[in-house]
Amino acid sequence: MDTYVAILGLDIPLHDILRWFHIILVAYWLGGEWGVFNAATNVADGALSLDERLRAMELVYRIDIMPRSAIIWLLPVGFHMADNYGLSPITGQYVTLVWVLTVAWQLLILAAFRARGTPRAIKLTDIDNKLRYVVIPALILVGGVMLVTGEIPTTGELLTQYWLATKVTFFGFILIIGLLLRHTMKAWAIGFMRLRDEGSTPEIEEIFTKTLARARIYAYVYWVCIGTMAFIGVTKAF
Ligand code: HEM
């Protein structure tokens, strides 16, 4: 907690800068998801022309890049702050490693964004999703072990508070909902390639309408979960 950063002659605790960045990330995530949710309506609207729907899909991609990026940066920022509290399963140079791995992950997400609408983007997004297949069980396992044993498995320290372990575990579950939403976007990407090649058919339109209906339910659960995580982070009540 005692690291300071000199900004415009002011010595600001690094932890406060991390906390500020943490809140900015959450704002881009929650706000961005709302934007994607609304832009998606036109994507699935079969009454609109292909050009109008492609414009809506481009808008979805352009909004989604922010929540898609913000989510991964919550990990190094969160674990760095948690390490400052002595509550983190990831400590010292391993926190630095998480920062470095997150940079690599961000480059993958940007590469998929640049190739959006192409088969290459689907390949890159599949790699991004597969990374989540590793991160999700790791978060749920480590957080779960901390909650059940009351101990930090990597340091042997006994937990004095449980809010961080709860956040780590809960974040794993929230990322599962995120994956379900990402599968919806992948179905649309493939749907558009077919719309372009085959034109509008009832079968292709069903890809859009069915996935949108499902995505709406995921989105509502997602927002409540993200809001709850924020409440746990602010109150640190347990
Ligand atoms: C859905 C994801 C998340 C949301 C919405 C969220 C939200 C928040 C909020 C609003 C705060 C309070 C900030 C303040 O009091 O100024 C906070 C604090 C904190 N969060 Fe998160 N967070 C999320 C994920 C995470 C993750 C994954 C970690 C750890 C890996 C984490 C670790 C922390 C820590 C250590 C604090 C305490 C900072 C402090 O008050 O000094 N958060 N979080």
Side-chain angles (χ1 to χ4, degrees):
M1 289 269 202
D2 48 12
T3 312
Y4 287 79
V5 178
I7 299 177
L8 302 174
L10 298 169
D11 283 335
I12 304 191
L14 172 60
H15 187 87
D16 286 357
I17 295 172
L18 291 169
R19 200 150 54 95
W20 161 80
F21 189 36
H22 194 70
I23 295 169
I24 297 287
L25 290 171
V26 170
Y28 269 108
W29 184 5
L30 209 44
E33 292 296 348
W34 175 247
V36 169
F37 180 85
N38 286 288
T41 312
N42 289 356
V43 170
D45 187 347
L48 297 176
S49 70
L50 179 58
D51 279 354
E52 281 172 296
R53 296 169 78 181
L54 282 169
R55 260 198 301 280
M57 190 64 192
E58 174 62 12
L59 187 60
V60 166
Y61 280 125
R62 284 175 174 273
I63 299 171
D64 179 65
I65 185 70
M66 289 312 272
R68 189 179 281 260
S69 305
I71 289 172
I72 66 167
W73 287 99
L74 282 169
L75 292 167
V77 175
F79 282 122
H80 197 141
M81 291 193 296
D83 191 23
N84 290 344
Y85 276 100
L87 291 172
S88 179
I90 296 180
T91 58
Q93 80 251 16
Y94 295 104
V95 172
T96 314
L97 181 64
V98 175
W99 280 105
V100 171
L101 291 175
T102 308
V103 172
W105 196 350
Q106 181 66 64
L107 294 175
L108 171 70
I109 289 175
L110 286 175
F113 176 72
R114 273 206 210 96
R116 60 194 177 279
T118 69
R120 176 177 148 75
I122 292 180
K123 273 209 195 83
L124 292 171
T125 306
D126 277 347
I127 300 171
D128 175 14
N129 289 344
K130 289 202 172 80
L131 288 176
R132 292 161 205 251
Y133 297 156
V134 176
V135 170
I136 290 171
L139 288 169
I140 295 173
L141 186 68
V142 171
V145 166
M146 289 165 76
L147 289 173
V148 171
T149 65
E151 204 180 288
I152 304 176
T154 47
T155 64
E157 293 276 325
L158 290 181
L159 283 179
T160 51
Q161 302 163 60
Y162 285 77
W163 58 269
L164 190 276
T166 308
K167 286 190 80 171
V168 169
T169 317
F170 195 13
F171 193 57
F173 285 105
I174 293 176
L175 291 183
I176 296 175
I177 306 171
L179 262 182
L180 294 171
L181 283 167
R182 288 185 206 302
H183 284 304
T184 303
M185 273 186 70
K186 181 181 171 187
W188 289 348
I190 295 168
F192 270 110
M193 287 179 199
R194 291 191 58 193
L195 262 183
R196 262 195 301 246
D197 300 345
E198 304 164 38
S200 173
T201 66
E203 188 227 337
I204 294 175
E205 291 305 341
E206 205 181 39
I207 296 174
F208 291 98
T209 47
K210 259 206 181 147
T211 50
L212 182 67
R214 253 198 324 265
R216 284 192 183 292
I217 299 163
Y218 299 151
Y220 301 143
V221 176
Y222 211 36
W223 302 338
V224 171
C225 291
I226 298 169
T228 307
M229 278 287 271
F231 184 80
I232 297 171
V234 170
T235 59
K236 306 177 185 66
F238 49 88

PDB file of all heavy atoms in Angstrom, residues 135-153:
ATOM      1  N   VAL A 135      -9.285 -19.837 -17.431  1.00  0.00           N
ATOM      2  CA  VAL A 135      -9.358 -18.829 -16.351  1.00  0.00           C
ATOM      3  C   VAL A 135     -10.565 -19.072 -15.440  1.00  0.00           C
ATOM      4  O   VAL A 135     -10.456 -18.985 -14.216  1.00  0.00           O
ATOM      5  CB  VAL A 135      -9.410 -17.404 -16.963  1.00  0.00           C
ATOM      6  CG1 VAL A 135      -9.725 -16.368 -15.905  1.00  0.00           C
ATOM      7  CG2 VAL A 135      -8.099 -17.090 -17.662  1.00  0.00           C
ATOM      8  N   ILE A 136     -11.720 -19.413 -16.042  1.00  0.00           N
ATOM      9  CA  ILE A 136     -12.950 -19.578 -15.245  1.00  0.00           C
ATOM     10  C   ILE A 136     -12.812 -20.660 -14.161  1.00  0.00           C
ATOM     11  O   ILE A 136     -12.998 -20.378 -12.970  1.00  0.00           O
ATOM     12  CB  ILE A 136     -14.158 -19.845 -16.161  1.00  0.00           C
ATOM     13  CG1 ILE A 136     -14.510 -18.569 -16.947  1.00  0.00           C
ATOM     14  CG2 ILE A 136     -15.364 -20.343 -15.376  1.00  0.00           C
ATOM     15  CD1 ILE A 136     -15.543 -18.760 -18.043  1.00  0.00           C
ATOM     16  N   PRO A 137     -12.453 -21.917 -14.528  1.00  0.00           N
ATOM     17  CA  PRO A 137     -12.320 -22.923 -13.453  1.00  0.00           C
ATOM     18  C   PRO A 137     -11.230 -22.558 -12.443  1.00  0.00           C
ATOM     19  O   PRO A 137     -11.376 -22.844 -11.257  1.00  0.00           O
ATOM     20  CB  PRO A 137     -11.980 -24.211 -14.197  1.00  0.00           C
ATOM     21  CG  PRO A 137     -11.764 -23.850 -15.613  1.00  0.00           C
ATOM     22  CD  PRO A 137     -12.262 -22.494 -15.843  1.00  0.00           C
ATOM     23  N   ALA A 138     -10.142 -21.881 -12.939  1.00  0.00           N
ATOM     24  CA  ALA A 138      -9.067 -21.498 -12.009  1.00  0.00           C
ATOM     25  C   ALA A 138      -9.602 -20.521 -10.950  1.00  0.00           C
ATOM     26  O   ALA A 138      -9.347 -20.691  -9.759  1.00  0.00           O
ATOM     27  CB  ALA A 138      -7.921 -20.867 -12.790  1.00  0.00           C
ATOM     28  N   LEU A 139     -10.398 -19.533 -11.368  1.00  0.00           N
ATOM     29  CA  LEU A 139     -10.946 -18.547 -10.429  1.00  0.00           C
ATOM     30  C   LEU A 139     -11.910 -19.215  -9.445  1.00  0.00           C
ATOM     31  O   LEU A 139     -11.831 -18.985  -8.239  1.00  0.00           O
ATOM     32  CB  LEU A 139     -11.683 -17.443 -11.199  1.00  0.00           C
ATOM     33  CG  LEU A 139     -10.833 -16.460 -11.991  1.00  0.00           C
ATOM     34  CD1 LEU A 139     -11.712 -15.610 -12.913  1.00  0.00           C
ATOM     35  CD2 LEU A 139     -10.023 -15.562 -11.064  1.00  0.00           C
ATOM     36  N   ILE A 140     -12.807 -20.081  -9.988  1.00  0.00           N
ATOM     37  CA  ILE A 140     -13.806 -20.721  -9.127  1.00  0.00           C
ATOM     38  C   ILE A 140     -13.114 -21.661  -8.135  1.00  0.00           C
ATOM     39  O   ILE A 140     -13.449 -21.702  -6.944  1.00  0.00           O
ATOM     40  CB  ILE A 140     -14.856 -21.466  -9.986  1.00  0.00           C
ATOM     41  CG1 ILE A 140     -15.649 -20.458 -10.825  1.00  0.00           C
ATOM     42  CG2 ILE A 140     -15.791 -22.298  -9.115  1.00  0.00           C
ATOM     43  CD1 ILE A 140     -16.606 -21.076 -11.831  1.00  0.00           C
ATOM     44  N   LEU A 141     -12.091 -22.378  -8.614  1.00  0.00           N
ATOM     45  CA  LEU A 141     -11.372 -23.331  -7.744  1.00  0.00           C
ATOM     46  C   LEU A 141     -10.626 -22.595  -6.638  1.00  0.00           C
ATOM     47  O   LEU A 141     -10.815 -22.879  -5.448  1.00  0.00           O
ATOM     48  CB  LEU A 141     -10.401 -24.157  -8.589  1.00  0.00           C
ATOM     49  CG  LEU A 141      -9.686 -25.279  -7.854  1.00  0.00           C
ATOM     50  CD1 LEU A 141     -10.667 -26.369  -7.462  1.00  0.00           C
ATOM     51  CD2 LEU A 141      -8.547 -25.864  -8.717  1.00  0.00           C
ATOM     52  N   VAL A 142      -9.802 -21.615  -7.008  1.00  0.00           N
ATOM     53  CA  VAL A 142      -8.987 -20.903  -6.007  1.00  0.00           C
ATOM     54  C   VAL A 142      -9.883 -20.145  -5.034  1.00  0.00           C
ATOM     55  O   VAL A 142      -9.727 -20.234  -3.820  1.00  0.00           O
ATOM     56  CB  VAL A 142      -7.999 -19.940  -6.702  1.00  0.00           C
ATOM     57  CG1 VAL A 142      -7.316 -19.053  -5.672  1.00  0.00           C
ATOM     58  CG2 VAL A 142      -6.969 -20.709  -7.499  1.00  0.00           C
ATOM     59  N   GLY A 143     -10.872 -19.424  -5.578  1.00  0.00           N
ATOM     60  CA  GLY A 143     -11.785 -18.681  -4.709  1.00  0.00           C
ATOM     61  C   GLY A 143     -12.578 -19.628  -3.813  1.00  0.00           C
ATOM     62  O   GLY A 143     -12.738 -19.374  -2.614  1.00  0.00           O
ATOM     63  N   GLY A 144     -13.022 -20.759  -4.406  1.00  0.00           N
ATOM     64  CA  GLY A 144     -13.807 -21.740  -3.652  1.00  0.00           C
ATOM     65  C   GLY A 144     -13.001 -22.350  -2.511  1.00  0.00           C
ATOM     66  O   GLY A 144     -13.496 -22.470  -1.382  1.00  0.00           O
ATOM     67  N   VAL A 145     -11.742 -22.704  -2.791  1.00  0.00           N
ATOM     68  CA  VAL A 145     -10.870 -23.275  -1.747  1.00  0.00           C
ATOM     69  C   VAL A 145     -10.678 -22.257  -0.620  1.00  0.00           C
ATOM     70  O   VAL A 145     -10.739 -22.598   0.558  1.00  0.00           O
ATOM     71  CB  VAL A 145      -9.508 -23.698  -2.354  1.00  0.00           C
ATOM     72  CG1 VAL A 145      -8.477 -23.961  -1.264  1.00  0.00           C
ATOM     73  CG2 VAL A 145      -9.677 -24.914  -3.241  1.00  0.00           C
ATOM     74  N   MET A 146     -10.503 -20.967  -0.993  1.00  0.00           N
ATOM     75  CA  MET A 146     -10.333 -19.940   0.045  1.00  0.00           C
ATOM     76  C   MET A 146     -11.587 -19.835   0.922  1.00  0.00           C
ATOM     77  O   MET A 146     -11.490 -19.749   2.142  1.00  0.00           O
ATOM     78  CB  MET A 146     -10.039 -18.584  -0.611  1.00  0.00           C
ATOM     79  CG  MET A 146      -8.664 -18.476  -1.229  1.00  0.00           C
ATOM     80  SD  MET A 146      -8.497 -17.071  -2.336  1.00  0.00           S
ATOM     81  CE  MET A 146      -8.367 -15.710  -1.165  1.00  0.00           C
ATOM     82  N   LEU A 147     -12.775 -19.890   0.288  1.00  0.00           N
ATOM     83  CA  LEU A 147     -14.023 -19.757   1.049  1.00  0.00           C
ATOM     84  C   LEU A 147     -14.236 -20.966   1.966  1.00  0.00           C
ATOM     85  O   LEU A 147     -14.653 -20.825   3.111  1.00  0.00           O
ATOM     86  CB  LEU A 147     -15.203 -19.602   0.094  1.00  0.00           C
ATOM     87  CG  LEU A 147     -15.296 -18.267  -0.658  1.00  0.00           C
ATOM     88  CD1 LEU A 147     -16.401 -18.321  -1.699  1.00  0.00           C
ATOM     89  CD2 LEU A 147     -15.527 -17.122   0.317  1.00  0.00           C
ATOM     90  N   VAL A 148     -13.921 -22.167   1.456  1.00  0.00           N
ATOM     91  CA  VAL A 148     -14.187 -23.394   2.229  1.00  0.00           C
ATOM     92  C   VAL A 148     -13.158 -23.580   3.353  1.00  0.00           C
ATOM     93  O   VAL A 148     -13.506 -23.893   4.493  1.00  0.00           O
ATOM     94  CB  VAL A 148     -14.185 -24.626   1.283  1.00  0.00           C
ATOM     95  CG1 VAL A 148     -14.244 -25.926   2.083  1.00  0.00           C
ATOM     96  CG2 VAL A 148     -15.353 -24.534   0.310  1.00  0.00           C
ATOM     97  N   THR A 149     -11.877 -23.323   3.040  1.00  0.00           N
ATOM     98  CA  THR A 149     -10.830 -23.589   4.042  1.00  0.00           C
ATOM     99  C   THR A 149     -10.534 -22.386   4.927  1.00  0.00           C
ATOM    100  O   THR A 149      -9.919 -22.524   5.976  1.00  0.00           O
ATOM    101  CB  THR A 149      -9.510 -23.983   3.338  1.00  0.00           C
ATOM    102  OG1 THR A 149      -9.063 -22.842   2.585  1.00  0.00           O
ATOM    103  CG2 THR A 149      -9.692 -25.174   2.421  1.00  0.00           C
ATOM    104  N   GLY A 150     -10.923 -21.173   4.469  1.00  0.00           N
ATOM    105  CA  GLY A 150     -10.595 -19.962   5.233  1.00  0.00           C
ATOM    106  C   GLY A 150      -9.113 -19.651   5.173  1.00  0.00           C
ATOM    107  O   GLY A 150      -8.578 -18.921   6.018  1.00  0.00           O
ATOM    108  N   GLU A 151      -8.441 -20.188   4.161  1.00  0.00           N
ATOM    109  CA  GLU A 151      -6.984 -20.017   4.033  1.00  0.00           C
ATOM    110  C   GLU A 151      -6.627 -19.675   2.600  1.00  0.00           C
ATOM    111  O   GLU A 151      -7.319 -20.110   1.670  1.00  0.00           O
ATOM    112  CB  GLU A 151      -6.325 -21.359   4.403  1.00  0.00           C
ATOM    113  CG  GLU A 151      -4.891 -21.270   4.879  1.00  0.00           C
ATOM    114  CD  GLU A 151      -4.386 -22.693   5.215  1.00  0.00           C
ATOM    115  OE1 GLU A 151      -4.832 -23.232   6.244  1.00  0.00           O
ATOM    116  OE2 GLU A 151      -3.591 -23.249   4.430  1.00  0.00           O
ATOM    117  N   ILE A 152      -5.560 -18.886   2.394  1.00  0.00           N
ATOM    118  CA  ILE A 152      -5.100 -18.594   1.038  1.00  0.00           C
ATOM    119  C   ILE A 152      -4.193 -19.746   0.609  1.00  0.00           C
ATOM    120  O   ILE A 152      -3.114 -19.924   1.198  1.00  0.00           O
ATOM    121  CB  ILE A 152      -4.350 -17.251   0.978  1.00  0.00           C
ATOM    122  CG1 ILE A 152      -5.233 -16.121   1.513  1.00  0.00           C
ATOM    123  CG2 ILE A 152      -3.874 -16.958  -0.434  1.00  0.00           C
ATOM    124  CD1 ILE A 152      -4.567 -14.770   1.590  1.00  0.00           C
ATOM    125  N   PRO A 153      -4.600 -20.560  -0.368  1.00  0.00           N
ATOM    126  CA  PRO A 153      -3.869 -21.804  -0.657  1.00  0.00           C
ATOM    127  C   PRO A 153      -2.405 -21.580  -1.049  1.00  0.00           C
ATOM    128  O   PRO A 153      -1.549 -22.406  -0.749  1.00  0.00           O
ATOM    129  CB  PRO A 153      -4.662 -22.436  -1.798  1.00  0.00           C
ATOM    130  CG  PRO A 153      -5.502 -21.364  -2.365  1.00  0.00           C
ATOM    131  CD  PRO A 153      -5.739 -20.367  -1.277  1.00  0.00           C
TER     132      PRO A 153
END
